[in-house]
């Protein structure tokens, strides 16, 4: 059947009809007074989402562009930085830092395990000369379904006093609590196709006062992603370059929806969806890839005792449900169910039931049909 596609990957995520309709308009001038009001509202609501009094800037880039802006505006070639790698996106931070000539020390954990705060503590406490300029990490590691303990690590960075804390919150913002000011996170990068519930195409960067100080002396070359220009224009409800006007109409509607639901309710929903998904997998005899205590609120990684790509393609063929596969060495080993953004209990009950039917079809060993749905329903009730 056509037009029954169900998108359950950790980005792009499903887009609400209200957002789609908001985008289905003729564009207006990005410097018109009408659009200036839209920029003003978006900026206010983005600060609400980030729980910050400081700046949140909108960029026409994917999430990686926001990450890049978060590096090049605040650091200089040769700067000593700690970058954390426990998955594909942590690895991306390391590559990005190296591409701009930073002196990178990598803090790593095995993919599927969380970062250890002691590793940060050791390096930062030993740095009496205060030569470490930044600590760079991923909050929710989408590739493995693991969330890192950003709150604890932020305290350690604060104790160091000098280093900036630069965070990829692409799949944690809008899914779990990321109180930017309270935790003292200097730079937060995110992207539109994840928790924001709008299509791909925009990136967001929050910038603390401390980060703006670093901006003044940072020497990595920058032009399009020079955040100083974005701040100057954003303060006047304008933008330095042409903005994706229609996507921003969508963002306006999405942020209004988020405000109507409320941050606490959004976080609770993601928590419930995560728990329901995990309990269902356990009941179905599908091993989870990472432990419960560091489960990402956005995505659950599952390591079936069969070819995960076969399972994924059968689910797609039979039910037109897209779940994500494993990346790099995890390809074929795991599949990942996205439950980020515009996702509700009904969606997951559907996915779990379809997964059970698929496993039945494939003769998965040890399957107890119906057990997954029952386990999820128990959590959702
Ligand atoms: C999706 C994602 C990104 C951004 O990827 P883009 O393809 O550049 O939008 C960055 N970090 C994490 C953790 C992600 O999940």
């Amino acid at each position: 059947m056509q037009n029954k596609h169900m998108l359950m990957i950790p980005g792009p995520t499903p887009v609400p009809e209200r957002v789609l309709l908001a985008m289905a308009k003729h564009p207006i001038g990005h410097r018109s007074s009408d659009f200036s009001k839209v920029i003003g509202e978006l900026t206010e609501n983005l600060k609400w989402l980030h729980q910050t009094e400081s700046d949140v800037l909108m960029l026409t880039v994917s999430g990686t562009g926001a990450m890049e802006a978060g590096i090049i505006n605040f650091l200089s070639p040769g700067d000593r930085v700690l970058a954390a790698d426990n998955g594909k996106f942590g690895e991306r931070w390391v590559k990005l830092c190296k591409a701009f000539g930073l002196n990178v020390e990598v803090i790593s954990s095995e993919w599927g395990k969380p970062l250890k705060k002691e590793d940060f503590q050791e390096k930062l406490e030993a740095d009496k000369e205060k030569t470490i300029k930044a600590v760079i990490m991923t909050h929710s590691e989408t590739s493995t379904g693991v969330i890192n303990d950003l709150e604890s690590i932020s305290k350690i960075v604060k104790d160091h006093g000098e280093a900036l804390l630069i965070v990829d919150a692409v799949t944690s913002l809008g899914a779990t609590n990321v109180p930017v000011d309270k935790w003292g996170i200097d730079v937060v990068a995110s992207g539109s196709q994840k928790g924001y519930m709008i299509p791909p195409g925009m990136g967001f960067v929050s910038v603390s006062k401390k980060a703006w100080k670093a901006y003044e002396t940072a020497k990595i070359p920058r032009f399009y992603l020079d955040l100083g220009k974005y701040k100057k224009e954003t303060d006047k409800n304008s933008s330095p370059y042409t903005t994706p006007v229609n996507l921003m109409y969508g963002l306006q509607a999405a942020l209004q929806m988020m405000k109507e639901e409320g941050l606490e309710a959004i976080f609770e929903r993601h928590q419930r969806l995560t728990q329901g998904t995990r309990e269902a997998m356990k009941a179905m005899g599908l091993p989870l890839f990472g432990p419960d205590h560091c489960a990402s609120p956005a995505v659950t990684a599952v390591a079936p005792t069969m070819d995960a790509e076969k399972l994924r393609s059968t689910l797609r063929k039979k039910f037109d449900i897209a779940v994500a596969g494993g990346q790099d060495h995890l390809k074929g080993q795991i599949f990942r169910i996205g439950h980020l953004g515009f996702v509700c209990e009904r969606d997951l009950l559907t996915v779990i039931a379809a997964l059970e039917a698929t496993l039945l079809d494939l003769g998965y060993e040890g399957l107890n049909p119906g057990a997954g749905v029952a386990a999820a329903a128990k959590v959702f009730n």
Side-chain angles (χ1 to χ4, degrees):
M1 191 180 263
Q2 285 190 338
N3 283 328
K4 274 289 206 185
H5 185 57
M6 191 175 186
L7 189 61
M8 295 297 285
I9 65 175
T13 62
V15 179
E17 192 168 65
R18 184 164 151 195
V19 171
L20 292 170
L21 290 172
M23 293 190 299
K25 274 199 268 220
H26 203 285
I28 59 172
H30 62 289
R31 297 198 203 288
S32 63
S33 62
D34 279 347
F35 200 68
S36 176
K37 290 190 198 101
V38 175
I39 294 178
E41 179 186 326
L42 291 178
T43 302
E44 276 316 299
N45 288 347
L46 285 169
K47 288 184 186 184
W48 166 82
L49 179 64
H50 286 74
Q51 305 180 58
T52 183
E53 301 282 314
S54 197
D55 298 293
V56 184
L57 306 168
M58 294 177 262
L59 308 172
T60 311
V61 291
S62 82
T64 308
M67 291 165 70
E68 181 162 320
I71 296 293
I72 64 174
N73 283 278
F74 309 109
L75 295 163
S76 302
D79 274 355
R80 182 183 176 204
V81 301
L82 305 183
D85 173 2
N86 64 332
K88 185 82 185 163
F89 291 99
E91 184 184 83
R92 186 172 297 177
W93 268 137
V94 173
K95 285 183 183 166
L96 212 160
C97 290
K98 287 185 175 162
F100 288 104
L102 298 174
N103 172 12
V104 193
E105 287 169 37
V106 182
I107 291 183
S108 57
S109 281
E110 198 186 317
W111 289 25
K113 301 249 159 64
L115 296 167
K116 292 189 282 291
K117 65 170 192 259
E118 294 75 20
D119 292 347
F120 293 86
Q121 199 155 19
E122 203 174 294
K123 291 260 189 196
L124 289 163
E125 280 180 1
D127 180 31
K128 302 287 182 229
E129 326 273 70
K130 309 290 177 195
T131 56
I132 299 173
K133 296 293 179 206
V135 173
I136 300 160
M137 64 177 281
T138 311
H139 189 194
S140 162
E141 180 48 80
T142 316
S143 63
T144 61
V146 164
I147 192 155
N148 290 308
D149 184 1
L150 177 58
E151 183 176 12
S152 297
I153 295 167
S154 75
K155 287 189 186 129
I156 297 165
V157 178
K158 210 175 248 172
D159 287 343
H160 179 271
E162 179 68 27
L164 294 173
L165 178 57
I166 300 175
V167 175
D168 167 350
V170 175
T171 56
S172 60
L173 195 78
T176 191
N177 198 24
V178 189
V180 172
D181 286 358
K182 190 167 163 219
W183 289 358
I185 315 170
D186 295 295
V187 177
V188 175
S190 59
S192 60
Q193 79 277 26
K194 308 283 175 109
Y196 289 93
M197 312 189 289
I198 70 172
M202 289 183 78
F204 307 89
V205 190
S206 79
V207 183
S208 72
K209 290 205 170 63
K210 184 173 164 184
W212 282 126
K213 254 217 155 85
Y215 169 87
E216 287 167 18
T217 54
K219 291 199 174 57
I220 294 176
R222 56 193 183 221
F223 184 79
Y224 181 63
L225 295 178
D226 182 341
L227 293 180
K229 291 185 207 153
Y230 288 84
K231 173 169 171 53
K232 190 162 160 262
E233 295 303 323
T234 303
D235 286 346
K236 298 184 284 186
N237 292 337
S238 184
S239 61
Y241 311 110
T242 310
T243 52
V245 169
N246 289 57
L247 263 181
M248 287 161 81
Y249 284 139
L251 181 61
Q252 187 180 27
L255 287 169
Q256 285 166 1
M257 284 178 72
M258 289 172 99
K259 286 191 85 170
E260 286 162 20
E261 186 176 359
L263 281 183
E264 278 310 314
I266 293 171
F267 303 155
E268 274 167 27
R269 173 166 55 84
H270 283 84
Q271 176 58 34
R272 215 160 48 237
L273 296 177
T274 303
Q275 204 193 332
T277 306
R278 297 181 76 85
E279 291 309 317
M281 297 305 124
K282 288 178 201 165
M284 287 157 78
L286 287 172
L288 293 163
F289 185 61
D292 282 338
H293 72 87
C294 57
S296 163
V299 55
T300 297
V302 187
T305 55
M306 64 169 288
D307 179 7
E309 286 304 295
K310 173 117 195 267
L311 179 54
R312 225 160 64 80
S313 66
T314 312
L315 186 67
R316 180 68 206 272
K317 234 180 279 156
K318 276 183 78 111
F319 298 106
D320 205 0
I321 296 176
V323 296
Q327 292 165 288
D328 292 352
H329 65 277
L330 293 176
K331 195 171 175 81
Q333 308 286 309
I334 64 167
F335 68 90
R336 295 171 298 143
I337 303 172
H339 35 76
L340 172 62
F342 190 58
V343 177
C344 66
E345 281 90 343
R346 188 191 68 188
D347 299 323
L348 282 163
L349 289 170
T350 304
V351 173
I352 292 160
L355 204 51
E356 290 191 316
T358 304
L359 291 169
L360 197 61
D361 189 43
L362 294 171
Y364 191 76
E365 212 168 302
L367 179 74
N368 174 12
V373 171
K378 218 162 142 193
V379 173
F380 295 158
N381 276 340

